[in-house]
Short mmCIF file of all heavy atoms in Angstrom, two decimals:
data_model
loop_
_atom_site.label_atom_id
_atom_site.label_comp_id
_atom_site.label_asym_id
_atom_site.label_seq_id
_atom_site.Cartn_x
_atom_site.Cartn_y
_atom_site.Cartn_z
N ILE A 20 24.71 12.41 -49.62
CA ILE A 20 24.21 13.72 -49.07
C ILE A 20 22.77 13.71 -49.17
O ILE A 20 22.18 13.79 -50.31
CB ILE A 20 24.96 14.92 -49.98
CG1 ILE A 20 26.42 14.81 -49.97
CG2 ILE A 20 24.48 16.28 -49.53
CD1 ILE A 20 27.08 15.75 -51.00
N MET A 21 22.27 13.64 -47.93
CA MET A 21 20.76 13.37 -47.94
C MET A 21 20.05 14.69 -48.01
O MET A 21 19.88 15.39 -47.04
CB MET A 21 20.39 12.75 -46.57
CG MET A 21 21.16 11.59 -46.23
SD MET A 21 20.71 10.72 -44.72
CE MET A 21 21.26 11.81 -43.43
N ASP A 22 19.77 15.22 -49.20
CA ASP A 22 19.30 16.53 -49.43
C ASP A 22 17.91 16.63 -50.05
O ASP A 22 17.47 15.71 -50.62
CB ASP A 22 20.26 17.29 -50.31
CG ASP A 22 20.15 18.78 -50.28
OD1 ASP A 22 19.54 19.35 -49.33
OD2 ASP A 22 20.59 19.50 -51.26
N ARG A 26 12.33 20.91 -49.33
CA ARG A 26 11.48 21.06 -50.40
C ARG A 26 10.41 19.94 -50.43
O ARG A 26 9.37 20.21 -50.93
CB ARG A 26 12.49 20.82 -51.68
CG ARG A 26 13.14 22.16 -52.18
CD ARG A 26 14.25 22.00 -52.94
NE ARG A 26 15.45 21.56 -52.25
CZ ARG A 26 16.51 21.01 -52.87
NH1 ARG A 26 16.55 20.89 -54.19
NH2 ARG A 26 17.52 20.62 -52.05
N TYR A 64 25.53 12.08 -44.62
CA TYR A 64 25.76 13.44 -44.14
C TYR A 64 24.46 13.93 -43.54
O TYR A 64 23.40 14.20 -44.09
CB TYR A 64 25.94 14.32 -45.48
CG TYR A 64 26.77 15.63 -45.26
CD1 TYR A 64 27.24 15.94 -44.10
CD2 TYR A 64 27.01 16.49 -46.38
CE1 TYR A 64 28.05 17.20 -43.95
CE2 TYR A 64 27.75 17.62 -46.26
CZ TYR A 64 28.22 17.94 -45.01
OH TYR A 64 28.97 19.13 -44.98
N ALA A 65 24.54 14.09 -42.23
CA ALA A 65 23.26 14.34 -41.38
C ALA A 65 23.25 15.85 -41.07
O ALA A 65 22.11 16.36 -40.96
CB ALA A 65 23.26 13.54 -40.20
N PHE A 66 24.39 16.40 -40.74
CA PHE A 66 24.43 17.85 -40.30
C PHE A 66 25.73 18.44 -40.46
O PHE A 66 26.68 17.94 -40.00
CB PHE A 66 24.02 17.93 -38.81
CG PHE A 66 23.51 19.30 -38.29
CD1 PHE A 66 22.39 19.83 -38.52
CD2 PHE A 66 24.56 20.09 -37.71
CE1 PHE A 66 21.87 21.00 -38.05
CE2 PHE A 66 24.30 21.42 -37.19
CZ PHE A 66 22.97 21.87 -37.51
N SER A 67 25.75 19.47 -41.35
CA SER A 67 27.17 20.06 -41.61
C SER A 67 27.46 21.25 -40.57
O SER A 67 26.63 21.64 -39.95
CB SER A 67 27.06 20.61 -42.98
OG SER A 67 26.38 21.85 -43.02
N ASN A 70 25.32 24.01 -41.18
CA ASN A 70 24.02 23.97 -40.90
C ASN A 70 23.59 24.59 -39.62
O ASN A 70 22.35 24.97 -39.41
CB ASN A 70 23.42 22.41 -40.88
CG ASN A 70 23.34 21.88 -42.21
OD1 ASN A 70 23.53 20.62 -42.41
ND2 ASN A 70 23.16 22.66 -43.38
N ARG A 73 21.28 27.79 -39.71
CA ARG A 73 19.94 27.89 -40.07
C ARG A 73 19.10 28.54 -39.08
O ARG A 73 19.62 28.59 -37.79
CB ARG A 73 19.42 26.40 -40.38
CG ARG A 73 20.09 25.83 -41.70
CD ARG A 73 19.43 24.49 -41.95
NE ARG A 73 19.93 23.98 -43.23
CZ ARG A 73 19.62 23.17 -44.10
NH1 ARG A 73 18.37 22.58 -43.66
NH2 ARG A 73 20.12 22.65 -45.11
N ARG A 186 24.14 12.46 -54.19
CA ARG A 186 23.44 13.58 -53.66
C ARG A 186 22.07 13.59 -54.13
O ARG A 186 21.87 13.86 -55.40
CB ARG A 186 24.14 14.99 -53.90
CG ARG A 186 23.43 16.10 -53.15
CD ARG A 186 24.20 17.48 -53.36
NE ARG A 186 23.46 18.35 -52.52
CZ ARG A 186 24.09 19.32 -51.85
NH1 ARG A 186 25.35 19.54 -52.01
NH2 ARG A 186 23.44 20.18 -51.09
N GLU A 190 20.47 18.86 -56.58
CA GLU A 190 21.56 19.75 -56.37
C GLU A 190 22.87 19.13 -56.82
O GLU A 190 23.09 17.96 -56.52
CB GLU A 190 21.78 20.24 -54.98
CG GLU A 190 20.52 20.91 -54.32
CD GLU A 190 20.11 22.20 -54.98
OE1 GLU A 190 20.89 22.69 -55.87
OE2 GLU A 190 19.03 22.84 -54.68
N ARG A 192 26.28 19.86 -56.13
CA ARG A 192 27.56 20.41 -55.49
C ARG A 192 27.95 19.63 -54.23
O ARG A 192 27.22 18.74 -53.75
CB ARG A 192 27.32 21.85 -54.97
CG ARG A 192 26.11 22.06 -54.10
CD ARG A 192 26.04 23.49 -53.64
NE ARG A 192 24.72 23.83 -52.98
CZ ARG A 192 23.55 24.13 -53.67
NH1 ARG A 192 23.62 24.46 -54.97
NH2 ARG A 192 22.50 24.19 -53.04
N SER A 194 29.14 20.81 -51.13
CA SER A 194 28.72 21.29 -49.85
C SER A 194 29.63 20.80 -48.63
O SER A 194 29.14 20.36 -47.61
CB SER A 194 27.30 20.98 -49.55
OG SER A 194 26.49 21.52 -50.47
C1 IPE B 2 24.26 19.54 -47.28
O1 IPE B 2 23.10 20.02 -47.66
C2 IPE B 2 24.35 19.01 -45.85
C3 IPE B 2 23.51 17.91 -45.51
C4 IPE B 2 22.77 17.17 -46.32
C5 IPE B 2 23.49 17.54 -44.05
P1 IPE B 2 22.71 21.57 -47.51
O2 IPE B 2 21.31 21.68 -47.95
O3 IPE B 2 23.08 22.04 -46.11
O4 IPE B 2 23.66 22.21 -48.62
P2 IPE B 2 23.58 23.57 -49.48
O5 IPE B 2 23.29 24.69 -48.54
O6 IPE B 2 22.39 23.32 -50.39
O7 IPE B 2 24.84 23.57 -50.16
#
Side-chain angles (χ1 to χ4, degrees):
I20 302 176
M21 310 184 291
D22 199 15
R26 278 162 282 167
Y64 205 2
F66 194 83
S67 74
N70 287 149
R73 294 190 177 197
R186 181 173 188 147
E190 302 293 357
R192 54 178 171 267
S194 302

